[in-house]
Amino acid sequence: MALKVAIVGRPNVGKSTLFNRLVGKRLALVDDRPGVTRDRRYADGNIGDMDLTLIDTAGYEDVTDESLESRMREQTEAAIDDAELILFMMDAREGVTSLDRIFADRLRKVAKPVIMLANKSESRESGGGIGEAYALGFGEPVAISAEHGEGMADLYQAIVGASADIFIEEIDEPDKPIRIAVIGRPNAGKSTLVNRLLGEDRLLTGPEAGITRDSISVDWEYEGRAIRFVDTAGMRRKARVQEKLEKLSVADTIRAITFAEVVILMMDKDHAFDIQDLQLADLVEREGRALIYVASKWDLEEEPQSRMAELKRLAEDKLPQLKGTPFVVLSAHSGRGVERLMPAVIKAYETWSVKVKTKDLNTWLSMATQRHPPPAVDGKRIKPKYIAQTKARPPTFVLMASRAESMPEQYKRYLVNSIRESFDLPGTPIRLIVKSSGDNPYAEGGSKSGPERYKGDAKTAPRRVIKKAEKAEMLSNLPGKALEQKKTRKHQPKVVSGVKASSSKKAGSSIAVQKGARGGARQVSRSGRIRTGQKHAPKK
């Protein structure tokens, strides 16, 4: 079991920055403005060889009314009660403030070890603030810089010394939990639903829209199964998202959908399946996650039966790719209908993880193609031959067929809907990949063709003409011929002269023949000039 450590302090002193550094990931949202963190967040981290369970908290405000700041303070006090060691952080640049003194008085009443941290101590201006931290009464402050990673060795020594007397119980690691993300538009009741399932006010709630900013994960157990809820920030339409902080919250929500296994889409009963709800459902389907529709605030509905039928009809019409998705109506505030949610979640998770036997799939393929044969494209009919499931979560099938690239999309949708109905897979995303079975795998470029081998020159290639001089040089390189040819070799000029019998009949001329010239022999006169032709008639 890891040591449970809470990071506390007034707003904007760098608690979330230190939390991210010790966790090793950018889990908590960080911004220059104060009050970004509102809920308390748990995550596993380490420093040196020590395993830690870190708790990031909201900035402490000395407010006791019914405001949002007061509810944030209650979350911080709950983290202090749950932790075994407390890291009390102050800003070394600004020094000790009145709010630091009020919070220090609160921590002195807690019978737990407290380590004083002077953050932002990398600059020269921080020296005075570090000296003022002694007045808070928690011993020597540890000067660190959470943003730059300075002072981590001193922090490690302080944690080791403060936790020497803390008994850490070793417990068995639980099974891998089912990750469930709760998404929806702002003020749809997501945090209220999670609190109702947990049976405690674990997450910050209220009438204000947009309270949740971070994606907060909470572990729970349902009928012996490990569950991990991820409460996300409300997602508005993209055109309305302008602030940098809200953009970070939306990106955090999308990341939570990516890593979830089951997604609960919370919708207001009066505005269910609005454009934003449809876009969120389509995003979940494209990510391949199991989906549950939840209509909240159902205790205020006057005609529940007719409204329920209308919402189911809207789901079938606007989201046909998610046909059969479970639909649950409830009231998170009063608890009405909440008991029907978790059975639907477990069933959707099991459907999402299903594996179908290859024999059953091919029996289904034969019946499906007989009931509705594939269309003919360009006068040639497509022939499905074989199907198998390659993976689950979501169920993915590969169909081998002739002329696979010509299979129309409407026929693929028919096959997917038939799989969904035949094997009882309502609502879960199904992937169907069609591959061609007519290609020869051993042909060139096929999957089993292998590297190309050299087969020699082609028979139709032109024969290479070897000249005499080249042939003689080749012969001279043969063993035993070099010495014999060296003895009989004589110097021969490049131009070889000889008298042709046909040319000797011409009066007063003898012709030398120059061999090796391009275009054949050329005539050379006795003076050595090359005769290229006569421009004028010879004189008589």
Side-chain angles (χ1 to χ4, degrees), residues 82 140 252 270 339 386 407 473 492 518 522 535:
D82 192 22
E140 181 180 0
D252 203 20
D270 296 327
E339 69 279 358
Y386 180 80
M407 182 175 288
E473 184 179 357
Q492 295 180 356
R518 186 176 180 183
R522 292 183 290 182
K535 295 183 180 180

Side-chain angles (χ1 to χ4, degrees), residues 217-348:
S217 60
V218 182
D219 291 332
W220 185 49
E221 185 175 337
Y222 173 76
E223 295 184 354
R225 288 176 177 249
I227 305 292
R228 177 168 295 170
F229 282 110
V230 181
D231 182 31
T232 63
M235 295 180 64
R236 297 193 298 171
R237 296 177 61 180
K238 187 176 180 180
R240 298 181 179 179
V241 179
Q242 301 293 336
E243 296 185 1
K244 172 187 174 183
L245 187 57
E246 189 172 359
K247 292 181 179 179
L248 294 175
S249 300
V250 170
D252 203 20
T253 301
I254 295 175
R255 184 166 59 250
I257 295 173
T258 304
F259 288 99
E261 295 171 330
V262 181
V263 177
I264 297 175
L265 177 58
M266 291 283 295
M267 299 175 290
D268 192 320
K269 66 177 184 63
D270 296 327
H271 307 284
F273 296 108
D274 199 357
I275 295 177
Q276 182 66 6
D277 295 330
L278 296 177
Q279 291 178 347
L280 290 175
D282 184 64
L283 174 62
V284 173
E285 194 276 334
R286 284 186 280 112
E287 290 292 338
R289 304 295 178 253
L291 182 63
I292 304 290
Y293 298 137
V294 173
S296 62
K297 306 176 183 178
W298 199 252
D299 55 339
L300 303 178
E301 180 60 42
E302 297 179 356
E303 299 179 356
Q305 298 296 331
S306 59
R307 182 59 177 168
M308 180 72 174
E310 182 183 358
L311 292 179
K312 287 185 176 181
R313 181 183 56 80
L314 285 174
E316 296 290 337
D317 293 343
K318 296 187 177 182
L319 295 167
Q321 69 273 26
L322 291 170
K323 185 178 180 180
T325 299
F327 202 104
V328 180
V329 294
L330 52 83
S331 173
H333 183 71
S334 64
R336 177 184 173 186
V338 175
E339 69 279 358
R340 295 192 293 266
L341 177 61
M342 287 309 299
V345 168
I346 298 299
K347 184 178 179 181

Side-chain angles (χ1 to χ4, degrees), residues 347-367:
K347 184 178 179 181
Y349 175 77
E350 293 174 351
T351 303
W352 185 65
S353 308
V354 75
K355 294 182 180 179
V356 184
K357 295 181 180 180
T358 304
K359 178 182 177 181
D360 297 339
L361 279 172
N362 284 278
T363 302
W364 161 84
L365 179 63
S366 177
M367 297 175 61

Side-chain angles (χ1 to χ4, degrees), residues 323-429:
K323 185 178 180 180
T325 299
F327 202 104
V328 180
V329 294
L330 52 83
S331 173
H333 183 71
S334 64
R336 177 184 173 186
V338 175
E339 69 279 358
R340 295 192 293 266
L341 177 61
M342 287 309 299
V345 168
I346 298 299
K347 184 178 179 181
Y349 175 77
E350 293 174 351
T351 303
W352 185 65
S353 308
V354 75
K355 294 182 180 179
V356 184
K357 295 181 180 180
T358 304
K359 178 182 177 181
D360 297 339
L361 279 172
N362 284 278
T363 302
W364 161 84
L365 179 63
S366 177
M367 297 175 61
T369 53
Q370 289 178 9
R371 183 168 59 250
H372 187 185
V377 181
D378 297 333
K380 297 181 181 179
R381 187 170 293 279
I382 301 171
K383 297 180 181 179
K385 298 181 179 180
Y386 180 80
I387 189 171
Q389 184 177 359
T390 56
K391 59 171 289 189
R393 302 182 179 184
T396 303
F397 304 92
V398 175
L399 173 65
M400 307 300 293
S402 62
R403 307 180 70 241
E405 66 282 353
S406 302
M407 182 175 288
E409 289 296 327
Q410 58 267 26
Y411 194 76
K412 293 181 183 179
R413 287 196 295 269
Y414 158 72
L415 294 177
V416 169
N417 291 332
S418 182
I419 290 175
R420 194 186 305 277
E421 294 175 1
S422 300
F423 297 101
D424 193 19
L425 304 176
T428 187

